[in-house]
Amino acid sequence: MNYMLDKINLLENKQAILDGADEIVKILQDNKKLDDSEKLMTIELAMAKLNYELYHISGDSKE
């Protein structure tokens, strides 16, 4: 985590990034329908979906 914080602290918009991350973590921590493992899977899925929405890259191989 320190590696990410070191990178973020160099950015002009660092507080908005930190606040956004805190908000996402709080929402997941408060979700009683998911266990800890499912919360981590939710973050992974959200990252994949956001990556696709922003860059249209899915990571899936095309056949």
Side-chain angles (χ1 to χ4, degrees):
M1 186 166 91
N2 288 333
Y3 171 75
M4 284 299 298
L5 290 174
D6 289 344
K7 286 174 48 175
I8 290 167
N9 281 325
L10 299 175
L11 301 174
E12 185 175 319
N13 204 18
K14 66 182 178 185
Q15 194 57 52
I17 296 168
L18 294 170
D19 292 345
D22 287 342
E23 185 177 339
I24 292 166
V25 168
K26 180 169 179 12
I27 289 168
L28 283 171
Q29 284 178 327
D30 291 345
N31 188 331
K32 303 303 180 203
K33 295 184 274 183
L34 301 172
D35 65 24
D36 290 347
S37 175
E38 292 167 334
K39 290 174 184 180
L40 291 172
M41 283 190 281
T42 301
I43 286 286
E44 290 180 32
L45 177 59
M47 287 177 50
K49 290 177 101 172
L50 184 58
N51 188 48
Y52 183 77
E53 292 294 321
L54 295 174
Y55 304 108
H56 302 292
I57 300 170
S58 68
D60 296 331
S61 61
K62 293 183 179 179
E63 297 182 24

